[in-house]
Amino acid sequence: MSEGGWNTIESDAGVFTALIEELGVKSVQCEELFALDPSDLQALHPLYGVIFLFKYPTDRPYTMPDGPLDGSFDHGASGSIFFAAQTIQNACATQALLSVLMNKTTELDVGAHLKDFREFTMELPPEFRGEALSNSDLIREVHNSFARSVPFADETGRTGAPADAFHFIAYTHINGTLYELDGLQPAPITHGPCDADSFPAQLVAVLQRRISRYDATEIRFNLLAMCRDLRVRAHEIGDQEMLAREHIKRGDWFFENALRRHNFVGFAGEVLKGVMNDKLKQGGNEAVKKWVDESKSRASRETTELALRRKERDMGMN
């Protein structure tokens, strides 16, 4: 990306939780959901909203001239709720996250920066809010600190089929209404009356209708629930087992995020050279060829097994 650009980030609970914390928000985390079950959402009460990742349909529109396929545009809502148009590519992950946080400022401590940002931008129309978001150095730098590492560039000039485009949007309940907040749409989309108690069931119904419009073979969906820090809950109810489990999970997230931010190309190159030299000493080129063939075979098996596990997991989203 050019200087000042936004990079893609993963739909991962650890990434989004760290992103939330680095923006200055207190006692909020994300949890990944593996099935569309209202009880799973209810178990995370208080639930502030969800972030939904899906393949952006290029062959069929989600909205028609008279409105969206599901729900209706609420053009008057932007004056009372935070809704920003997406004005720059790859910003949708953080924009979806902020679409929830900025509409829960009476419930959450979002920190001084986001509080000031909201107060300033609420006087602006959605397209200018999007510009302000895109031009925020802090928000962009935090977002880009979780960018996927791409250490290798394809310099062969080969072009293949265009990559699938994926998009993040938010769902949350605001002022007694279930809203879908998508910066690529002209206005917030309302899905009817909703409160904290009815939000899980109503949200699941909306998502099920949305997913059903895709081919049955499409399973690439991801759902992150934004809830109160589970360590706080565990401490309040005195659940030491839960607290220990959450601390372990945070440690895993910290380690995984550290790996995401580090470029291991140089290290991997030195290890590979050492192994190659060792194999050459053992048996020359034949030993190297055997090692490479065995590694390819093992990698193929592991890739197949991982794909099967992911398919079994993602089937729960349908």
Side-chain angles (χ1 to χ4, degrees), residues 8 91 136 159 181 203 212 246 256 269 278 300 313:
T8 58
S136 168
T159 57
L181 301 173
L203 171 68
S212 70
E246 290 303 314
E256 291 165 2
D278 185 59
S300 178
R313 182 201 72 178

Side-chain angles (χ1 to χ4, degrees), residues 2-297:
S2 60
E3 184 177 357
W6 293 63
N7 300 329
T8 58
I9 63 175
E10 298 178 56
S11 183
D12 178 87
V15 168
F16 274 72
T17 299
L19 205 163
I20 288 170
E21 293 175 344
E22 293 194 18
L23 287 172
V25 182
K26 307 297 184 184
S27 301
V28 177
Q29 74 175 73
C30 284
E31 280 289 294
E32 185 171 4
L33 299 174
F34 299 106
L36 284 178
D37 188 334
S39 63
D40 291 341
L41 289 162
Q42 290 166 349
L44 296 173
H45 181 80
L47 179 66
Y48 306 120
V50 302
I51 299 170
F52 183 55
L53 174 69
F54 59 96
K55 178 184 173 184
Y56 198 79
T58 56
D59 57 341
R60 63 179 78 88
Y62 179 61
T63 59
M64 305 299 286
D66 56 347
L69 297 180
D70 194 14
S72 59
F73 287 128
D74 188 347
H75 291 280
S78 297
S80 59
I81 71 174
F82 183 87
F83 174 75
Q86 184 178 332
T87 62
I88 191 169
Q89 188 178 10
N90 298 331
C92 59
T94 294
Q95 187 149 340
L97 182 150
L98 292 175
S99 292
V100 176
L101 294 174
M102 294 295 204
N103 286 299
K104 299 295 177 181
T105 53
T106 59
E107 305 171 42
L108 302 175
D109 179 1
V110 299
H113 179 84
L114 291 187
K115 183 179 179 181
D116 291 345
F117 182 85
R118 186 185 191 280
E119 290 178 356
F120 168 72
T121 57
M122 282 302 292
E123 301 299 322
L124 306 174
E127 58 270 24
F128 289 167
R129 290 179 195 166
E131 288 290 346
L133 192 158
S134 300
N135 290 324
S136 168
D137 291 336
L138 172 65
I139 296 174
R140 183 180 63 249
E141 288 168 6
V142 171
H143 172 102
N144 283 344
S145 70
F146 294 97
R148 293 179 178 178
S149 177
V150 185
F152 299 107
D154 184 356
E155 299 178 349
T156 64
R158 294 176 297 179
T159 57
D164 290 329
F166 290 85
H167 186 51
F168 291 91
I169 62 174
Y171 290 89
T172 187
H173 57 92
I174 310 168
N175 301 329
T177 300
L178 171 56
Y179 279 106
E180 175 184 331
L181 301 173
D182 178 354
L184 295 182
Q185 301 301 333
I189 297 173
T190 174
H191 291 281
C194 179
D195 58 20
D197 293 333
S198 61
F199 178 60
Q202 288 182 241
L203 171 68
V204 167
V206 170
L207 290 178
Q208 286 175 334
R209 291 195 297 270
R210 184 164 198 147
I211 291 173
S212 70
R213 297 190 182 97
Y214 287 80
D215 293 335
T217 56
E218 180 55 70
I219 60 174
R220 291 172 294 177
F221 304 100
N222 189 261
L223 187 64
L224 297 177
M226 195 181 301
C227 60
R228 185 172 59 162
D229 189 331
L230 294 177
R231 295 172 300 179
V232 175
R233 178 195 293 183
H235 185 267
E236 288 178 348
I237 64 178
D239 189 334
Q240 296 303 313
E241 183 178 345
M242 178 183 178
L243 185 60
R245 186 168 61 247
E246 290 303 314
H247 279 303
I248 291 172
K249 182 167 65 179
R250 289 300 181 114
D252 292 340
W253 284 351
F254 181 84
F255 179 70
E256 291 165 2
N257 286 336
L259 293 181
R260 287 184 176 95
R261 288 167 158 165
H262 191 77
N263 188 334
F264 288 94
V265 173
F267 172 75
E270 291 302 314
V271 170
L272 184 58
K273 284 193 292 185
V275 172
M276 290 289 287
N277 288 333
D278 185 59
K279 294 295 179 182
L280 287 170
K281 291 177 181 177
Q282 291 179 14
N285 292 333
E286 286 300 318
V288 172
K289 184 177 183 305
K290 180 181 178 182
W291 171 64
V292 170
D293 290 342
E294 290 175 349
S295 299
K296 286 181 177 179
S297 178

